[in-house]
Amino acid sequence: DAGVIQSPRHEVTEMGQEVTLRCKPISGHNSLFWYRQTMMRGLELLIYFNNNVPIDDSGMPEDRFSAKMPNASFSTLKIQPSEPRDSAVYFCASRAGQSNSPLHFGNGTRLTVT
Amino acid sequence: GENVEQHPSTLSVQEGDSAVIKCTYSDSASNYFPWYKQELGKRPQLIIDIRSNVGEKKDQRIAVTLNKTAKHFSLHITETQPEDSAVYFCAASTQSPNAGNMLTFGGGTRLMVKP
């Protein structure tokens, strides 16, 4: 099992540019989560999908952020336009079932917006 | 929603000593409490978890205790080693109104084990 796969590992972009982060969950997992991690705010849940359907997006900071899950094996998090305060590590995580099963994290994407 | 408080934010111990990290939660309906270890530049990884039907769970040098009445749970690491140095996160499950459970994370504890 390759685990949760995220790309790119690092992204450096200029303010105002569009950024797209990608995630492939573990095969068979039906829940997918996007988290943002910063020193100041820790791990913040941005959005959560269950069976490809967005369940809770209350953590999405602004309309500049959007997420999609077109199928069970792929999700994207898009920021448009990006701002320097969006600089953070973005983690994708997946979990099997709706019960209290462990959350598996990807290696994250370190985003730097200059 | 759920609120998870974690203390201390930093913890420095001598190699071989024990380390204890404590968390409190607010939602009495929470019933799943995992702990994650995050090494510098890496992803959080699950090290141990406990469900509300038990009060304690051990796995070699790590143990977790849960007090549902007081709504707090703790991570205990015995015989600490330098490789235990990392940031540790506690979490509590929160019931989503539509489906499944979400995890709410504590703020993290940076553990430093001095050789």
Side-chain angles (χ1 to χ4, degrees):
Chain A
D1 186 352
V4 177
I5 300 173
Q6 290 186 247
S7 64
R9 287 299 309 276
H10 303 274
E11 177 79 35
V12 180
T13 191
E14 293 183 346
M15 182 175 64
Q17 297 298 306
E18 176 182 303
V19 174
T20 300
L21 311 182
R22 298 172 175 80
C23 176
K24 176 179 167 56
I26 292 173
S27 177
H29 283 192
N30 63 344
S31 295
L32 183 142
F33 303 76
W34 282 101
Y35 284 89
R36 178 172 68 176
Q37 187 175 38
T38 61
M39 287 292 293
M40 291 297 293
R41 302 174 69 91
L43 269 169
E44 300 175 276
L45 178 64
L46 299 178
I47 188 169
Y48 154 44
F49 292 87
N50 193 56
N51 293 324
N52 312 340
V53 176
I55 301 300
D56 188 333
D57 65 353
S58 59
M60 296 286 262
E62 299 170 37
D63 291 345
R64 300 184 295 106
F65 285 70
S66 62
K68 294 182 179 179
M69 191 164 187
N71 57 62
S73 59
F74 184 65
S75 178
T76 59
L77 177 68
K78 183 180 292 186
I79 309 172
Q80 180 185 24
S82 58
E83 296 182 3
R85 60 194 168 116
D86 301 331
S87 298
V89 179
Y90 291 80
F91 286 103
C92 175
S94 70
R95 184 189 68 199
Q98 297 181 15
S99 61
N100 295 323
S101 53
L103 200 60
H104 298 265
F105 284 84
N107 286 323
T109 295
R110 181 175 295 277
L111 173 65
T112 303
V113 183
T114 61
Chain B
E2 176 68 278
N3 182 49
V4 178
E5 300 280 343
Q6 184 171 347
H7 300 280
S9 57
T10 60
L11 179 60
S12 181
V13 300
Q14 206 67 39
E15 182 178 358
D17 288 349
S18 295
V20 181
I21 302 170
K22 299 181 180 181
C23 290
T24 60
Y25 61 98
S26 60
D27 187 348
S28 57
S30 290
N31 57 5
Y32 175 62
F33 308 92
W35 286 86
Y36 286 81
K37 175 184 180 182
Q38 186 178 26
E39 297 177 357
L40 188 63
K42 297 191 176 180
R43 61 190 168 99
Q45 290 191 281
L46 179 74
I47 55 171
I48 194 168
D49 58 11
I50 190 168
R51 290 171 173 79
S52 59
N53 57 342
V54 297
E56 183 175 1
K57 183 177 179 180
K58 291 185 72 173
D59 183 2
Q60 299 183 345
R61 294 187 298 108
I62 60 173
V64 58
T65 59
L66 171 65
N67 183 328
K68 287 216 71 178
T69 303
K71 290 190 282 188
H72 65 72
F73 56 113
S74 301
L75 177 72
H76 304 252
I77 306 175
T78 58
E79 300 172 30
T80 53
Q81 301 168 3
E83 52 264 39
D84 295 329
S85 297
V87 178
Y88 291 81
F89 292 95
C90 64
S93 66
T94 307
Q95 184 67 43
S96 166
N98 294 316
N101 293 295
M102 300 187 298
L103 286 180
T104 301
F105 284 87
T109 296
R110 182 174 300 278
L111 173 64
M112 293 169 283
V113 180
K114 296 181 285 186

